Amino acid sequence: MAQHPLVSMHGITKRYPGVTALSDVTLSVDAGEVMALVGENGAGKSTLLKVLAGAVRADDGTIRVSGETVNIVTPRDSQSHGIAVIYQELNLANDLSVAENIYVGREPKTRLGTIDFRAMDRGSAELLAVLGIANISPRTIVGDLNIAHRQMVEIAKALLIEARVVVMDEPTSSLTEEEVDTLLNLVRRLRAQGVSVIYVSHRMREIFEISDRITVMRDGSVVGVLDAAVSAPGDVVRMMVGRELDDLYGVRSTAVDRTTIPTLDVRSLSAGRLLHDVSFTVHPGEIVALAGLIGAGRSHAAMTIFGARRRSGGEILINGKPLTLRTPGEAMAAGIGFVPEDRKAQGLFLGLPVRENMSSASLGSISRLFMVSKAKDRSMAKDYATKLGLRQSAVEVGAGTLSGGNQQKVVLARWLARHPRLLILDEPTRGVDVGAKAEIYALIRSIAQEGVAVLVVSSELTEVLGIADRIVVMREGHGVGELNVSEANEKKVMSMATGVQEDAS
């Protein structure tokens, strides 16, 4: 008798006014299997996961657990059937301890009816030990943990409910390469224990490193299921985007003239305890990447250059002219644009239309007598929507309703409208699908080809090596080396970033 999949979804359909989010979707995962779920933003992955989690009710279709049809209409229903969903935005209380987060809603009681904190601590330590984690105390306040350790607390919560299926939605989007490896090892450990994992990610290295099968979605439907062992990233990308992506990163420019005065010249830059004596240059038309582990000071350097962090030493020169740059306003006046790491919290007014987000940094150029010209505002928005591949109708919708890739295009449009000399991009493709990544890389290339100096901060080594002309490596707040991309590889960058010499062999 054939064994049933541990969890299967059949004919799942979900309609919203004017749009079908899911159309007759079928997905299954076997016991002890890692199933990667991939697709561009807007493909329907999140809606499908919400149906499985009981957060959204499907219009049609069935869900089966071990071959038995089950009724999942609330998150509690999902959990009762051994399904745990770990969302990209973690569901943790930062002011509570690790143990209190793991046991929230399931606190053990003493004979007097009070919460048994000792039992919570013991149980939490045991769960963390099962995951191979010994360096987190159950009494640590979750807000004091880094993102990687918070992910582990979420996984421990899943083990507490004896989850048979753990769904991970973009679990590594904020992790360093070292932390990614730790998380992937945890996924392997779960698989070895017979737990199934549905793994959602845009990162091909992770998908092929740990998944057994890959389910690909496009436009609300499943377009194929691949055996990871006999497939290649190109196969997945073609199914995701419905077209070939011959070169994800585009053609590198050979026209950078480094004999001219650099657009940006950073000399011995220091900022408090997080940045020490950092120096580098970026020339017109050049793309320079700041690489390093999280905490190396890359974002701090970028924000200091933009005037968002106080400089304690060194010089910043724009086109050879020393500038104070005490505020972002002064940086903007000097021709600097800045796309922040967290577009939702720092880069967008999510409740405002795309049009107003695009023009928010250029109000002076579309205003007269302190009144914004609506005609100029609309014209600017439509012009940049065309340039960036957004639908004309999208300029009037709320920025918060767009996919991650389109949101990033809106933030880029805001700064391009100011015609910057220097554009700083902090994690420009975080949480962006592969199709949108290709479009953003093409846009970055075109910006550089127009003579704009581009400074990129990225935690993805493949991205750094693919997009940059030069790489400045940082470690513990210091600039520790510089590489031309022609001589760089992952080993060299990581060796400099960690301070561990690469194996001569």
Side-chain angles (χ1 to χ4, degrees):
M1 184 174 178
Q3 186 178 6
H4 294 289
L6 182 55
V7 170
S8 57
M9 306 175 78
H10 303 269
I12 303 296
T13 297
K14 178 63 184 177
R15 305 177 189 89
Y16 293 103
V19 63
T20 299
L22 297 172
S23 178
D24 194 28
V25 172
T26 295
L27 175 145
S28 68
V29 57
D30 295 325
E33 178 184 35
V34 178
M35 167 65 76
L37 179 62
V38 303
E40 294 190 272
N41 289 334
K45 304 186 304 296
S46 294
T47 305
L48 185 65
L49 295 183
K50 288 176 182 177
V51 170
L52 183 61
V56 167
R57 185 177 296 193
D59 297 316
D60 297 298
T62 58
I63 299 174
R64 297 173 188 162
V65 177
S66 298
E68 298 291 328
T69 299
V70 297
N71 190 30
I72 295 179
V73 295
T74 69
R76 187 172 292 274
D77 293 335
S78 182
Q79 292 176 12
S80 70
H81 291 292
I83 301 167
V85 180
I86 301 173
Y87 293 103
Q88 186 173 357
E89 277 125 13
L90 301 177
N91 187 25
L92 296 172
N94 288 335
D95 294 332
L96 298 182
S97 71
V98 167
E100 288 168 326
N101 270 277
I102 291 174
Y103 277 88
V104 65
R106 297 177 176 80
E107 295 86 352
K109 300 294 176 63
T110 65
R111 285 180 294 178
L112 298 177
T114 59
I115 295 175
D116 190 339
F117 287 100
R118 288 185 178 179
M120 282 171 50
D121 287 347
R122 286 195 304 272
S124 298
E126 290 171 2
L127 288 170
L128 294 170
V130 168
L131 294 172
I133 304 162
N135 58 345
I136 302 177
S137 167
R139 298 191 178 184
T140 302
I141 299 301
V142 161
D144 294 334
L145 297 176
N146 62 28
I147 293 294
H149 285 160
R150 292 182 202 179
Q151 291 273 11
M152 295 170 190
V153 173
E154 283 279 23
I155 296 172
K157 285 173 61 178
L159 293 185
L160 181 65
I161 68 167
E162 298 182 346
R164 294 188 289 169
V165 177
V166 176
V167 181
M168 298 183 180
D169 187 7
E170 295 287 351
T172 62
S173 61
S174 299
L175 304 186
T176 65
E177 293 290 325
E178 184 177 2
E179 290 167 341
V180 168
D181 290 337
T182 299
L183 183 73
L184 297 185
N185 285 332
L186 285 178
V187 173
R188 295 185 185 99
R189 190 181 291 259
L190 291 173
R191 175 168 54 191
Q193 294 168 0
V195 177
S196 302
V197 177
I198 299 176
Y199 192 89
V200 182
S201 179
H202 295 308
R203 297 183 174 183
M204 291 294 154
R205 177 181 78 85
E206 299 168 19
I207 290 168
F208 280 91
E209 197 167 319
I210 61 165
S211 63
D212 300 300
R213 289 186 298 147
I214 304 167
T215 296
V216 185
M217 294 188 68
R218 186 172 75 240
D219 298 331
S221 300
V222 170
V223 294
V225 180
L226 300 172
D227 182 341
V230 295
S231 302
D235 302 325
V236 177
V237 171
R238 279 190 292 274
M239 294 178 74
M240 283 174 59
V241 304
R243 64 186 189 277
E244 295 281 352
L245 287 179
D246 295 328
D247 189 346
L248 180 63
Y249 298 103
V251 179
R252 184 171 280 108
S253 173
T254 57
V256 176
D257 184 358
R258 297 191 182 94
T259 65
T260 61
I261 295 174
T263 300
L264 173 67
D265 189 353
V266 175
R267 301 178 180 177
S268 301
L269 183 65
S270 298
R273 294 176 298 172
L274 300 177
L275 206 63
H276 312 283
D277 195 27
V278 175
S279 300
F280 61 89
T281 60
V282 189
H283 288 80
E286 185 178 30
I287 303 172
V288 172
L290 297 182
L293 305 179
I294 288 178
R298 300 162 304 152
S299 292
H300 204 76
M303 295 180 77
T304 303
I305 294 166
F306 190 60
R309 291 285 185 270
R310 185 178 296 275
R311 172 162 47 106
S312 58
E315 285 187 300
I316 299 171
L317 290 78
I318 299 294
N319 287 356
K321 179 181 178 182
L323 297 177
T324 305
L325 301 181
R326 293 165 296 190
T327 67
E330 291 180 355
M332 290 166 63
I336 303 174
F338 182 74
V339 176
E341 177 181 12
D342 188 339
R343 59 179 168 269
K344 289 186 177 180
Q346 302 170 323
L348 290 167
F349 303 104
L350 294 173
L352 294 181
V354 166
R355 168 177 50 79
E356 293 182 30
N357 273 274
M358 286 181 171
S359 62
S360 60
S362 306
L363 295 179
S365 66
I366 59 173
S367 302
R368 185 176 182 184
L369 300 177
F370 304 105
M371 294 292 291
V372 173
S373 166
K374 290 186 177 180
K376 290 182 179 180
D377 190 22
R378 292 192 187 98
S379 176
M380 174 188 289
K382 289 182 178 179
D383 182 32
Y384 280 99
T386 300
K387 290 179 180 178
L388 275 63
L390 293 171
R391 297 191 313 273
Q392 292 287 317
S393 59
V395 300
E396 297 300 335
V397 305
T401 67
L402 300 182
S403 67
N406 284 338
Q407 286 182 348
Q408 195 72 330
K409 291 178 184 179
V410 173
V411 182
L412 283 163
R414 171 189 297 156
W415 295 108
L416 295 182
R418 289 185 58 87
H419 306 289
R421 299 171 178 172
L422 168 68
L423 184 60
I424 303 172
L425 306 170
D426 195 351
E427 302 290 356
T429 63
R430 171 165 291 169
V432 171
D433 63 67
V434 68
K437 278 185 177 184
E439 294 174 347
I440 290 172
Y441 294 144
L443 182 60
I444 293 172
R445 293 265 187 235
S446 68
I447 293 168
Q449 287 167 6
E450 291 174 3
V452 177
V454 180
L455 179 64
V456 175
V457 176
S458 177
S459 298
E460 289 193 47
L461 274 183
T462 52
E463 180 170 88
V464 167
L465 295 167
I467 194 68
D469 300 307
R470 281 189 298 125
I471 301 167
V472 175
V473 184
M474 296 186 65
R475 183 175 72 244
E476 297 177 356
H478 296 269
V480 294
E482 182 177 304
L483 296 166
N484 285 320
V485 74
S486 59
E487 63 180 348
N489 57 42
E490 290 195 15
K491 271 191 174 182
K492 287 183 179 180
V493 175
M494 285 305 296
S495 175
M496 295 169 70
T498 61
V500 177
Q501 294 299 311
E502 62 178 304
D503 191 341
S505 62

